């Protein structure tokens, strides 16, 4: 076979050795060559080909398959007929089923051509028309790029048709091959890991994508360093971390996803993910669970400049205490995902003086808010720090009969109840119960607001409450709700 092969590609080649249509000729010609073949070479993409079929002018040509002796990754499908009839106007059609098996996300490029073995070049002839079509699931593809959004197997069927016109400039003594190049380009440098040591090394190394190939158990915190920018793909596996912090993002960047079946989960004894020192954490898939503490902790550190950036658009976070907790200048943006607080608040901030401000925006997601501890109530959002809090969307399910959806303790808070759904239980308790600072707040309301000088970042002036674009508490009203008086709002 003289056609060029690309090592990083899966290549299908049908070589009709010595067959030619002569320019301006009406004669027919027989080939007695027996070594025409269809070759399949796997490169950067694991490619399996089945149900292959070759026809010339609608007549099937007999084939048989075997492995190439020099290259075990190549399947050699040999044409067993001794004579193949070719004449001007010939149509050669190659059909096959194939399975793309990808271990990372990326794209495949298909290029089809006819090659001249004598010159080792592609044939550029307007009288030779090549058409490639492929059906992958519900996608109809032609030659060009196709992106694999998830790791896994993709079944497809391909047809390649070569129409050779009577005036094609083909030569008698040349070997022509019909070639389909299928090249896979992975989206990021990847490290496939199946052990705790491999995972810790990958997270601190220079790989941009780390994908789990097995369930992993580890008894110490995993760390993403300040110089790292890594995507962790759970790929449907479980990462069990028996430590006070599951993954520490210390100034670096971690993107959590799951391109498997969505069941991938990180289970930590303490908090699942801590982000500090200006680190970034992005989550669009996978699941986090804290057995005893909090799900995602942003900015909690004894060091200066310990703020964090958290962006969540998918996946789930389940925590015994808070699903998301932020301090020290952190920014939290939630556009989707599911958040469950078993015994406290879904989204909140630490109430210690001097650990603000925080910037929190919620435009979507589902928040399940429960309480177990006797004498306390559950909250969807507890604004326990100064800063800007925008609750503009999302569904808040009060799973306990002792709950108030939004408890405001400080900050500039904007709640758009026209886009926010609050589901209260039918038998909601109306008694006064404690929140995090032991203040008693009446259960069963949509919003409750109160302030105390000298704590939680509140200094008597830097707070406001806006509900449905109407300012209900500002600097003129703050003094009314400092102390024991609580503002309640129900929609």
């Amino acid at each position: 076979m003289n056609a060029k092969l690309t090592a990083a590609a899966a290549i299908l080649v049908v070589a009709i050795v010595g067959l030619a249509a002569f320019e301006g000729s009406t004669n027919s010609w027989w080939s007695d060559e027996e070594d025409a073949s269809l070759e399949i070479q796997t490169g950067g993409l694991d490619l399996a080909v089945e149900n292959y079929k070759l026809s010339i002018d609608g007549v099937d040509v007999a084939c048989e398959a075997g492995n190439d002796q020099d290259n075990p990754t190549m399947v050699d499908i040999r044409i067993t007929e001794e004579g193949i009839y070719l004449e001007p106007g010939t149509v050669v059609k190659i059909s096959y089923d194939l399975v793309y098996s990808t271990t990372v996300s990326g794209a495949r490029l298909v290029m089809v051509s006819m090659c001249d073995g004598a010159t080792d070049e592609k044939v550029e002839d307007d009288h030779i028309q090549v058409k490639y079509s492929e059906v992958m699931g519900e996608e109809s593809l032609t030659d060009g790029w196709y992106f694999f959004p998830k790791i896994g197997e993709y079944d497809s069927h391909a047809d390649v048709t070569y129409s050779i016109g009577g005036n094609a400039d083909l030569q008698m003594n040349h070997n022509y091959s019909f070639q389909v190049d299928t090249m896979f380009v992975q989206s990021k440098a990847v490290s496939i890991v199946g052990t705790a040591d491999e995972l810790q090394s990958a997270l601190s190394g220079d790989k941009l994508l780390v994908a789990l190939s097995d369930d992993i158990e580890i008894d110490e915190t995993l760390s993403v360093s300040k110089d790292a920018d890594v995507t962790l793909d759970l790929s449907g596996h479980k990462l069990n971390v028996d430590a006070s912090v599951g993954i520490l993002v210390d100034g670096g960047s971690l993107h959590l996803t799951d391109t498997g079946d969505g069941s991938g989960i990180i289970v930590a004894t303490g908090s699942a993910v801590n982000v500090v020192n200006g680190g970034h954490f992005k989550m669009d898939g996978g699941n986090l669970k804290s057995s005893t503490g909090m799900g995602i902790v942003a900015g909690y550190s004894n060091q200066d400049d310990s703020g964090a950036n958290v962006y969540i658009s998918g996946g789930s976070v389940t925590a015994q205490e808070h699903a998301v907790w932020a301090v020290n200048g952190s920014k939290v943006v939630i556009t989707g995902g599911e958040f469950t607080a078993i015994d406290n608040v879904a989204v909140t901030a630490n109430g210690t003086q001097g650990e603000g401000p925080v910037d929190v925006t919620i435009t979507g997601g589902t928040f399940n808010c429960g309480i177990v501890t006797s004498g306390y109530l559950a909250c969807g959002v507890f604004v326990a720090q100064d800063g800007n809090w925008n609750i503009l969307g999302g569904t808040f399910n009060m799973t306990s009969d002792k709950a108030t959806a939004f408890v405001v303790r400080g900050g500039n808070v904007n709640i758009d109840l026209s886009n926010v759904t609050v589901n209260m239980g039918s038998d909601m308790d109306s008694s006064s119960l404690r929140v995090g600072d032991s203040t008693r707040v009446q259960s069963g309301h949509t919003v409750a607001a109160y302030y105390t000088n000298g704590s939680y970042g509140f200094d008597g002036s830097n707070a406001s409450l806006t509900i449905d674009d109407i300012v209900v508490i500002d600097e003129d009203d703050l003094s009314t709700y400092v102390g024991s008086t609580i503002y309640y709002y129900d929609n």
Side-chain angles (χ1 to χ4, degrees):
M1 184 67 61
N2 293 322
K4 291 182 178 178
L5 300 181
T6 304
I11 298 177
L12 304 169
V13 180
V14 174
I16 309 300
V17 181
L19 299 190
F22 303 106
E23 182 175 2
S25 172
T26 58
N27 296 324
S28 301
W29 184 72
W30 286 86
S31 170
D32 293 327
E33 300 287 351
E34 195 178 341
D35 58 354
S37 65
L38 167 66
E39 293 184 355
I40 303 132
Q41 177 172 313
T42 58
L45 181 66
D46 187 3
L47 180 66
V49 179
E50 302 173 333
N51 301 325
Y52 42 84
K53 182 178 180 181
L54 174 65
S55 65
I56 298 178
D57 284 342
V59 178
D60 292 348
V61 178
C63 302
E64 62 182 22
N67 289 327
D68 188 289
Q69 294 181 353
D70 298 327
N71 186 353
T73 68
M74 182 180 292
V75 178
D76 185 17
I77 304 171
R78 303 191 61 80
I79 299 173
T80 57
E81 294 187 10
E82 292 186 3
I84 299 175
Y85 186 64
L86 190 67
E87 63 181 3
T90 294
V91 176
V92 177
K93 185 175 182 180
I94 310 158
S95 299
Y96 48 89
D97 296 328
L98 67 164
V99 177
Y100 296 95
S101 181
T102 64
T103 57
V104 295
S105 63
R108 75 102 168 94
L109 173 65
V110 171
M111 299 171 288
V112 297
S113 60
M114 186 172 180
C115 293
D116 184 341
T119 62
D120 209 19
E121 295 178 351
K122 292 181 180 180
V123 176
E124 301 291 345
D125 193 319
D126 292 338
H127 295 95
I128 300 174
Q129 304 297 322
V130 184
K131 181 180 179 182
Y132 179 88
S133 65
E134 184 178 328
V135 177
M136 182 182 294
E138 297 180 354
E139 298 279 349
S140 295
L141 314 174
T142 58
D143 54 323
W145 288 98
Y146 176 77
F147 182 68
F148 294 95
K150 295 182 179 181
I151 292 174
E153 290 189 345
Y154 296 80
D155 298 322
S156 68
H157 174 81
D159 293 310
V160 192
T161 303
Y162 295 83
S163 299
I164 305 172
N167 292 318
D169 186 17
L170 302 182
Q171 306 299 315
M172 175 63 183
N173 296 322
H174 292 207
N175 299 335
Y176 295 102
S177 63
F178 306 127
Q179 185 163 305
V180 181
D181 298 342
T182 301
M183 181 181 294
F184 182 74
V185 180
Q186 62 191 37
S187 58
K188 292 184 176 182
V190 62
S191 178
I192 308 297
V193 300
T195 67
D197 289 342
E198 290 174 345
L199 177 57
Q200 181 63 83
S201 177
L203 289 177
S204 59
D206 59 358
K207 297 297 185 182
L208 298 181
L209 174 62
V210 178
L212 301 190
S213 62
D214 203 350
D215 295 347
I216 295 177
E217 292 193 8
I218 189 170
D219 59 4
E220 61 182 2
T221 297
L222 293 160
S223 296
V224 177
S225 65
K226 65 179 181 179
D227 297 324
D229 182 0
V230 62
T231 294
L232 175 59
D233 185 351
L234 297 178
S235 302
H237 294 291
K238 180 178 181 179
L239 172 59
N240 197 340
V241 186
D242 185 10
S244 59
V245 176
I247 299 180
L248 176 65
V249 184
D250 190 359
S253 179
L254 174 65
H255 172 199
L256 181 66
T257 190
D258 183 357
T259 62
D261 60 6
S263 65
I265 187 170
I266 299 174
V267 178
T269 304
S271 57
V273 175
N274 277 25
V275 191
V276 298
N277 295 322
H280 287 75
F281 176 64
K282 176 184 176 183
M283 180 177 179
D284 56 30
N287 306 280
L288 298 176
K289 183 177 181 180
S290 170
S291 301
T292 62
M294 292 173 275
I296 299 171
V297 177
Y300 184 71
S301 172
N302 293 326
Q303 305 176 49
D304 294 334
D305 191 24
S306 58
N309 303 275
V310 174
Y311 304 89
I312 307 171
S313 60
S316 73
V317 182
T318 301
Q320 182 67 23
E321 290 280 338
H322 313 301
V324 180
W325 188 79
V327 291
N328 290 332
S330 293
K331 180 178 182 178
V332 176
V333 178
I334 299 174
T335 60
E338 184 171 4
F339 306 82
T340 300
I342 296 173
D343 190 26
N344 215 313
V345 182
V347 180
T348 189
N350 186 30
T352 304
Q353 179 75 5
E355 290 196 350
V358 292
D359 189 333
V360 178
T361 300
I362 300 172
T363 61
T366 301
F367 304 83
N368 307 309
C369 316
I371 197 73
V372 176
T373 302
S374 177
Y376 284 80
L377 58 78
C379 307
V381 177
F382 182 29
V383 182
Q385 195 54 263
D386 59 326
N388 298 311
W389 297 68
N390 292 287
I391 306 167
L392 309 176
T395 298
F396 293 80
N397 301 314
M398 303 297 108
T399 59
S400 169
D401 62 353
K402 301 175 178 62
T404 286
F406 309 110
V407 177
V408 177
R409 186 65 189 78
N412 296 300
V413 181
N414 176 24
I415 305 174
D416 185 357
L417 291 176
S418 64
N419 287 319
V420 172
T421 300
V422 176
N423 295 317
M424 293 283 190
S426 57
D427 298 324
M428 187 61 63
D429 192 327
S430 61
S431 60
S432 292
L433 300 157
R434 289 184 175 89
V435 291
D437 64 353
S438 294
T439 297
R440 288 187 174 273
V441 173
Q442 193 176 65
S443 174
H445 293 283
T446 303
V447 183
Y450 64 95
Y451 307 91
T452 303
N453 275 321
S455 63
Y456 290 77
F458 176 70
D459 64 9
S461 62
N462 60 337
S464 64
L465 175 61
T466 302
I467 300 176
D468 292 340
D469 293 328
I470 299 174
V471 178
V472 296
I473 298 177
D474 59 14
E475 291 188 10
D476 295 335
D477 305 310
L478 283 174
S479 60
T480 304
Y481 303 104
V482 174
S484 59
T485 303
I486 299 177
Y487 169 88
Y488 291 106
Y489 182 93
D490 294 290
N491 61 332

